[in-house]
């Protein structure tokens, strides 16, 4: 049995689609957290890069760009700013001298602890406002994936 054809008349324009609602929610959450981070002299993307570097093994620019879904040119500017601030440093890979990896500095680790505390407080406030501290069921439903 084939599903009924969707015609423009069949799509309710007065009801926003889930993707629209999720986009609005994501943008509001990001804007609010970005404001809190900016008060501490850090952008949302800088914070995300720093979090991605917490492992200590360093990551190449390509790995970071792919993991964070940030264009390589934008990522280079972000890492440049983090390097200038002393929160990140670059190192030439010992096995492949052409490969440069980014690492979180000691100062970066200390800074990230403060920024993560702000982000955790923001997250807790959002979860409280949503009436659920466990977003797992909603995320599993939306993504079709297992969420810890």
């Amino acid at each position: 049995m084939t599903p009924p054809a969707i015609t423009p008349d069949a799509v309710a324009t007065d009801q926003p689609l889930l993707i629209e609602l999720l986009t609005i929610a994501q943008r509001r959450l990001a804007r609010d957290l970005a404001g809190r981070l900016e008060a501490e002299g850090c952008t949302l993307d800088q914070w995300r890069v720093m979090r991605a570097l917490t492992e200590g093994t360093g990551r190449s620019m390509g790995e970071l760009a792919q993991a964070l879904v940030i264009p390589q040119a934008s990522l280079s500017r972000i890492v440049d700013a983090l390097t200038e601030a002393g929160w990140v440093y670059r190192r030439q890979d010992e096995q492949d001298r052409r490969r440069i990896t980014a690492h979180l500095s000691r100062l970066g680790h200390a800074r990230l602890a403060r920024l993560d505390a702000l982000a955790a407080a923001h997250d807790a406030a959002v979860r409280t406002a949503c009436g659920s501290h466990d977003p797992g069921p909603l995320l599993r439903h939306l993504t079709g994936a297992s969420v810890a």
Side-chain angles (χ1 to χ4, degrees):
M1 179 172 185
T2 60
I6 298 177
T7 64
D9 294 336
V11 178
T13 56
D14 59 335
Q15 293 292 330
L17 297 174
L18 181 58
I19 187 68
E20 294 171 305
L21 295 172
L22 290 172
T23 300
I24 291 167
Q26 183 275 332
R27 288 180 180 165
R28 286 181 181 162
L29 288 170
R31 184 178 57 233
D32 187 43
L33 179 56
R36 293 172 190 228
L37 295 172
E38 289 244 352
E40 295 292 321
C42 185
T43 68
L44 182 61
D45 281 336
Q46 287 173 341
W47 171 72
R48 292 180 63 226
V49 168
M50 291 171 65
R51 285 178 55 85
L53 295 175
T54 57
E55 300 166 359
T57 58
R59 296 178 87 173
S60 73
M61 296 299 280
E63 291 169 344
L64 281 172
Q66 186 175 15
L68 299 173
V69 192
I70 297 175
Q72 193 119 14
S74 298
L75 180 64
S76 291
R77 286 189 294 275
I78 293 166
V79 172
D80 287 346
L82 290 170
T83 300
E84 256 184 60
W87 299 343
V88 167
Y89 64 93
R90 292 181 173 106
R91 179 184 294 166
Q92 192 173 35
D93 190 290
E94 294 177 10
Q95 278 74 39
D96 181 354
R97 307 302 264 168
R98 298 168 296 172
R99 184 173 185 251
I100 304 296
T101 54
H103 303 262
L104 196 59
S105 69
R106 277 190 218 119
L107 181 62
H109 278 284
R111 189 72 177 141
L112 183 58
R114 167 74 180 142
L115 299 172
D116 276 349
L118 289 172
H122 175 260
D123 187 73
V126 169
R127 289 172 189 258
T128 298
C130 291
S132 174
H133 289 280
D134 179 15
L138 175 61
L139 293 174
R140 277 190 293 279
H141 176 73
L142 294 174
T143 63
S146 173
V147 178

